[in-house]
């Protein structure tokens, strides 16, 4: 321990001596460097100001047209600009000489000898001469040659104050400056005898005088010129540097630079005091020893501290690269921390990778349809917002087309949603192949697709595309071994400004699409404002239909059907009527098409069937037996899977037989899906129900279909009956139809009989049954029950009263 303490004391003493000596030398070198810097800065600033003044004179004079044409012009110019030079360039005096040293211009008559000497030297060397002169005060004298346009050599001499140079030096060195003069001109003279001529300083002149008087008598100019002098005054330390202002006047004029080094002096003394203090040395040595011992720990902890934030920033590559090596011999807790940190990094990197993958999948789910791979409604909204915003930059219209498949629901109901999904995938591929790369197609929902066209020169291009798509989807869609025949309805709308929103465009296209459906489908429709009114009416009806079904606003009006050969009443056709509590009577042609493909239509159809059984039961209670009621079945109701069970329930609950209920189908319903139609018709036929085809001749059925279907009655449309009297073609069609249908073993019903002539013609054609205004108008249920006793005569319908 004693040896260790002795070694520490000896080492401390040696280190103290070495450090103090080195500190003193460094301190002196700093002062010498400050002295050299002041001198270099002074020469640099002086040369810079001199060059700037010369450059200004040369450029300012020669760039002025006509100034150098002759000496008189140059003189006039200098005379005009002298005030400017005095104000902005601190020019005290200005002279212009010709090549013979004759004065051309002078701001005053006295011309010092040193000016003449400078002019002579300039003419001799034919180059500028710059020097500093001290006469009462020090100034910079510059003589520069000027060559006039006619070849004469002129000399321009200017004296400028040294204040600008001293001010620039003050800014660059932060020193307190003053110009001092030594009258004796002896370099070995004491510095304290120098006289201050022009101070540029925050220190007052008397303070500078006092500062000089504190300098010892043995400190000479020579000593200060070489290395400066350090002086302490009023507990303040100053470094005094003496700089010769010009080589020619170095014996008389100097620039005194005073630096306040109080802080450096205090730090120097404090440092030396700290070094000398034994306790400080011991503490420093202990700190150094501890630092050496703890360096490895500190370095590794620093690496860990730098690595952990990288995990928060998800910079896993940098995190993995920044590791310290484990020591095989000295494993400690920090190595264990690094191992845990590495494990944490691996887990976080794996978790972030999974999160990014899940995020991409969620974004894909959110923006793309999983079935078809097309953009979904969210992506469509995003794209449309961008394209509407882009309309401000392009004059081309933005076109939106909404496409919907006609009767797509039949595919889902008949073959299941799996087949429906495959149909949509094939349809999406067919749509995509019909569009350009720049066009956008989105699955809007269900069987609806939206096409966005922007790079179109005219709306006619969109119409051409719509026609192409309509034709293309008339071709069958093949799903495995099955072929589906379908059609599409398209709604087209355009936008040429930013006055519409995304919802507005889609709504307009949707309105136009429904207009195409209302017109029969398999076509396109352009949006117009009149459609909006129809849509509002449609929405109003759809809303009111639900209340009408609940409140019992629907009623049946029954139109009599008679056997033509005997005039006997055989039954009635039940025609639905809607008596709205506010809007009164609403025509079936207005609300039936709206309800046709909705759940409300199915509900209304089941109400009609149930009501038909009720009407038959009431007629029998009144003594009118053996009649039948014909009820219309919509396409959606006929395809409803619950139809068969419902009909069985009605037969079980009613005493009326199935043969008394006639189910009317349209040609469109029959041929839409012939296989399913046949199957369901045979099931209903087994229950005892009869079938009639309504409005025969207006659709697209054929004899081939009729021969397959278990149909009992064919109803000829009223349009053919009305034309029989004046149109031989209509008459021949009716005659042929009657003959053909009777040959197939079916009965024929003629609709819309309005005259006795028509009835007689039908009788001649051997038509079976007739109905129409000539026989009876449709009569509401309650009125029918009261009117029947007066309208029947032994079962024969009384045709004389045509008001019913």
């Amino acid at each position: 321990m004693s040896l260790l303490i002795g070694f520490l004391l000896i080492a401390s003493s040696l280190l103290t001596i070495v450090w103090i000596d080195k500190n003193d030398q460094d301190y002196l070198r700093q002062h010498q460097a400050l002295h050299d810097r002041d001198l270099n800065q002074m020469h640099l600033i002086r040369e810079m100001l001199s060059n700037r003044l010369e450059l200004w004179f040369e450029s300012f004079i020669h760039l002025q047209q006509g100034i150098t044409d002759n000496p008189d012009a140059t003189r006039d110019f200098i005379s005009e600009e002298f005030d400017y030079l005095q104000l902005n360039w601190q020019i005290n005096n200005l002279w212009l000489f010709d090549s013979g040293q004759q004065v051309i211009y002078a701001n005053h008559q006295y011309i010092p000898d040193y000016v003449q000497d400078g002019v002579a030297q300039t003419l001799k060397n034919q180059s500028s001469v710059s020097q500093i002169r001290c006469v009462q005060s020090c100034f910079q004298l510059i003589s520069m040659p000027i060559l006039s346009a006619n070849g004469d050599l002129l000399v321009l001499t200017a004296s400028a104050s040294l204040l600008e140079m001293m001010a620039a030096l003050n800014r660059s060195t932060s020193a307190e400056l003053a110009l001092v003069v030594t009258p004796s001109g002896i370099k070995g003279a004491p510095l304290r005898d120098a006289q201050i001529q022009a101070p540029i300083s925050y220190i007052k002149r008397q303070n500078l005088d006092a500062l000089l008087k504190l300098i010892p008598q043995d400190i000479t100019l020579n000593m200060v010129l070489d290395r400066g002098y350090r002086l302490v005054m009023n507990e303040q330390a100053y470094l005094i540097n003496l700089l010769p202002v010009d080589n020619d006047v170095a014996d008389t004029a100097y620039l005194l630079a005073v630096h306040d080094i109080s802080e450096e002096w205090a730090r120097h003394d404090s440092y030396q005091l700290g070094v000398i203090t034994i306790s400080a040395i011991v503490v420093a040595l202990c700190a150094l020893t501890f630092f050496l011992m703890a360096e490895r720990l500190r370095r590794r902890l620093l690496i860990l501290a730098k690595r952990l934030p990288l995990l928060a920033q998800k910079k896993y590559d940098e995190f993995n690269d920044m590791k310290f090596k484990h020591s095989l011999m000295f494993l400690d807790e920090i190595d264990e921390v690094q191992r845990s940190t590495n494990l944490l990094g691996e887990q976080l990197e794996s978790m972030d990778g999974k999160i990014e993958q899940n995020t991409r999948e969620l974004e894909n789910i959110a923006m793309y349809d999983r079935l078809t791979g097309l953009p979904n409604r969210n992506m469509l909204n995003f794209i449309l917002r961008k394209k509407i915003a882009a309309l401000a930059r392009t004059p081309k219209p933005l076109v939106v087309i909404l496409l919907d498949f006609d009767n797509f629901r039949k595919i889902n109901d008949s073959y299941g949603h799996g087949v429906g999904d495959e149909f949509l995938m094939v349809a999406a591929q067919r749509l995509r192949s019909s569009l350009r790369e720049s066009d956008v197609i989105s699955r809007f929902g269900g069987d609806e697709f939206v096409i966005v066209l922007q790079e179109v020169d005219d709306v006619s291009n969109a119409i051409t595309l719509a026609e192409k798509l309509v034709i293309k989807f008339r071709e069958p869609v093949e799903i495995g071994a099955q072929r589906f025949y379908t059609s599409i309805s398209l709604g087209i709308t355009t936008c040429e400004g930013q006055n519409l929103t995304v919802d507005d465009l889609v709504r307009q296209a949707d309105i136009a699409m429904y207009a195409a459906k209302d017109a029969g489908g398999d076509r396109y429709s352009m949006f117009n404002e009149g459609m909006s009114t129809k849509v509002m009416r449609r929405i109003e009806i759809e809303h009111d239909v639900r209340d009408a079904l609940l409140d019992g606003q629907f009623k049946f009006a029954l139109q009599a059907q008679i056997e033509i050969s005997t005039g006997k009443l055989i039954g009635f056709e039940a025609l639905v009527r809607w008596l709205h509590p506010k809007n009164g009577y609403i025509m079936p042609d207005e609300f039936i098409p709206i309800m046709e493909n909705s759940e409300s239509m199915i509900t209304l159809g089941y109400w009609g069937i149930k009501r038909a059984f009720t009407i038959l039961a009431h007629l029998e209670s009144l003594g009118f037996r053996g009649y039948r009621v014909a009820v219309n079945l919509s396409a959606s109701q006929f395809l409803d899977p619950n139809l068969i069970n419902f009909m069985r329930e009605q037969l079980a609950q009613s005493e009326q037989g199935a043969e008394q209920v006639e189910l009317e189908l349209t040609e469109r319903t029959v041929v839409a899906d012939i296989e399913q139609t046949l199957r369901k018709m045979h099931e209903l036929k087994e229950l005892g129900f009869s079938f009639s085809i309504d409005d025969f001749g207006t659709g697209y059925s054929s004899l081939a279909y009729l021969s397959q279907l278990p149909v009992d009655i064919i109803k000829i449309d009223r349009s053919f009956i009305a034309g029989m009297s004046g149109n031989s073609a209509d008459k021949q069609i009716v005659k042929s139809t009657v003959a053909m249908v009777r040959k197939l073993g079916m009965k024929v019903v003629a609709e819309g009989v309005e005259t006795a002539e028509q009835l007689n013609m039908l009788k001649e054609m051997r038509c079976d049954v007739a109905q129409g205004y000539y026989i009876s108008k449709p009569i509401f249920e309650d009125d029918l029950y009261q009117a029947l006793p007066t309208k029947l005569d032994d079962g024969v319908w009384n045709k004389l009263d045509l008001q019913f």
Side-chain angles (χ1 to χ4, degrees), residues 312-533:
Q313 299 169 13
K314 299 183 180 180
K315 297 179 179 179
Y316 298 110
D317 292 337
E318 296 182 29
F319 173 82
N320 293 327
D321 293 340
M322 194 182 296
K323 295 179 181 179
F324 58 79
K325 295 182 179 180
H326 292 287
S327 174
L328 298 178
M329 297 180 62
F330 302 100
L331 293 175
D332 55 19
E333 290 79 6
I334 296 179
D335 293 311
E336 185 64 22
V337 171
Q338 175 167 262
R339 189 190 68 80
S340 300
T341 303
N342 293 339
L343 181 59
L344 175 63
E346 292 174 2
Q347 292 177 347
L348 286 176
E349 184 175 8
S350 176
M351 186 177 0
D352 282 340
K354 292 179 180 178
I355 290 174
E356 289 179 4
Q357 180 181 357
N358 292 338
T359 301
R360 287 192 296 269
E361 291 178 358
L362 288 174
E363 289 176 350
N364 190 61
I365 292 172
M367 303 304 280
Y368 290 89
D369 177 53
R370 301 192 69 177
L371 178 64
T372 63
L374 297 176
N376 61 11
R377 184 178 299 192
N378 295 331
M379 179 63 83
L380 174 67
N381 291 338
F382 175 74
I383 292 172
L384 280 178
R385 281 195 297 269
K386 289 180 61 178
K387 290 190 176 293
I388 290 174
L391 289 177
R393 302 187 298 271
T394 176
K396 295 183 179 181
L398 174 64
V399 179
V400 176
I401 303 175
L402 195 148
L403 178 150
D404 184 84
F405 288 91
D406 300 325
N407 300 321
F408 173 74
R409 183 178 175 182
K410 292 181 179 178
I411 298 176
N412 276 338
D413 292 344
S414 303
Y415 296 92
H417 289 278
V419 175
D421 289 344
E422 292 183 34
F423 176 89
L424 290 175
M425 288 190 286
V426 174
Q429 293 174 0
R430 185 179 291 186
L431 286 171
R432 180 70 268 178
S433 65
S434 304
L435 303 178
R436 304 170 300 176
E437 288 295 328
S438 60
D439 299 334
V440 177
I441 179 170
S442 165
R443 185 185 177 196
F444 195 66
D447 61 327
E448 291 183 336
F449 294 83
V450 173
I451 301 171
V452 180
L453 313 175
Q454 188 171 33
E455 297 178 6
V456 291
D457 298 325
D458 190 78
V459 180
S460 61
N461 295 341
I463 294 175
T464 302
L465 174 62
E467 292 173 343
K468 175 182 175 183
L469 292 175
V470 168
I471 295 172
K472 195 161 191 174
F473 276 96
R474 287 173 182 166
E475 300 173 4
V477 176
E478 296 184 1
I479 310 287
Q482 294 177 313
R483 306 180 76 185
F484 294 93
Y485 290 87
T486 183
S487 61
I488 57 174
S489 297
L490 302 99
I492 307 174
T493 187
T494 62
C495 177
E496 298 184 1
Q498 295 178 289
N499 56 323
L500 294 177
T501 65
V502 173
D503 292 339
D504 292 336
L505 282 174
V506 175
R507 179 180 57 82
Q508 291 179 359
D510 188 56
I511 291 172
M513 184 271 292
Y514 273 106
K517 279 189 174 296
D518 291 342
D522 192 27
R523 69 193 66 205
Y524 69 87
S525 177
M526 289 290 299
F527 173 79
N528 59 66
E529 290 300 330
M531 292 179 179
S532 296
T533 304

Side-chain angles (χ1 to χ4, degrees), residues 781-793:
E781 297 176 38
D782 295 339
D783 297 334
L784 177 66
Y785 300 143
Q786 297 177 7
L788 270 180
T790 62
K791 301 304 170 188
L792 291 177
D793 184 8

Side-chain angles (χ1 to χ4, degrees), residues 549-569:
L549 289 170
L550 294 174
D551 299 340
Q553 297 175 15
F554 289 104
K555 305 290 183 183
F556 265 151
L558 299 155
Q559 189 171 33
Q561 296 178 332
I562 64 168
E563 190 176 52
I564 297 178
S565 60
T566 63
K568 288 186 177 182
L569 176 68

Side-chain angles (χ1 to χ4, degrees), residues 34 37-39 41-42 45 166-177 257-259:
L34 190 58
R37 191 188 69 177
D38 288 346
L39 185 60
Q41 286 291 103
M42 185 194 72
I45 291 173
M166 295 172 70
L169 186 59
N170 174 261
R171 289 192 296 271
S172 65
T173 64
S174 301
E176 313 292 350
L177 303 175
V258 181
H259 291 274

Side-chain angles (χ1 to χ4, degrees), residues 630-678:
V631 182
N632 285 284
L633 279 185
S634 66
S636 57
Q637 186 181 9
F638 186 71
L639 294 176
D640 185 55
N642 296 322
L643 177 63
I644 302 299
N645 291 333
F646 179 82
M647 300 301 275
R648 287 196 180 102
E649 290 176 2
Q650 296 306 307
L651 289 175
Q653 296 172 6
S654 176
E655 296 180 358
Q656 279 65 45
E659 68 280 359
Q660 291 184 269
V661 177
E662 177 186 321
L663 303 178
E664 287 191 4
L665 302 175
T666 62
E667 291 183 76
R668 194 182 193 89
T669 301
V670 169
V671 300
D673 189 341
I674 189 65
E675 293 182 5
Q676 186 175 2
T677 299
L678 279 170

